[in-house]
Amino acid sequence: MVDELATTEELAGYLCVSQRTLERWRRQRIGPAWVRVGHKIRYRREDVDAWLAKHRQEPVLEVAREAGARGQAFSANSKSAVG
């Protein structure tokens, strides 16, 4: 997304989704905010950035801890099986 006002095609490429997905998101009002310039739909960079920030996901700490514990247990089991 080079310009401050991106076309649907540009934003679709940036987000790796289809233009139809963006159209559906507009109808359902679940995608990034847009502006109408004449008969054209445009997306402002700050609106896209805000939408992405709002939908950012963090890993769950407990899941990461459990995965680490399983990895340690696996490592301990592997050492005892070998030795």
Side-chain angles (χ1 to χ4, degrees):
M1 209 165 68
V2 177
D3 299 328
E4 289 298 314
L5 289 176
T7 65
T8 299
E9 181 179 6
E10 291 169 336
L11 184 60
Y14 177 70
L15 296 178
C16 299
V17 299
S18 70
Q19 291 181 49
R20 296 214 22 133
T21 295
L22 288 175
E23 292 166 8
R24 183 172 38 86
W25 287 352
R26 283 197 306 268
R27 279 194 313 274
Q28 296 173 344
R29 307 235 184 239
I30 60 174
W34 71 91
V35 295
R36 200 174 278 280
V37 180
H39 293 288
K40 309 283 185 183
I41 298 292
R42 297 291 184 260
Y43 295 89
R44 296 184 322 169
R45 182 181 220 41
E46 63 239 29
D47 291 334
V48 173
D49 290 342
W51 181 79
L52 287 170
K54 180 180 172 186
H55 289 85
R56 182 172 183 257
Q57 299 291 313
E58 289 285 337
V60 178
L61 186 57
E62 292 79 33
V63 172
R65 284 186 188 148
E66 289 174 14
R70 281 195 304 269
Q72 291 171 354
F74 179 75
S75 296
N77 290 340
S78 297
K79 290 176 187 172
S80 63
V82 173

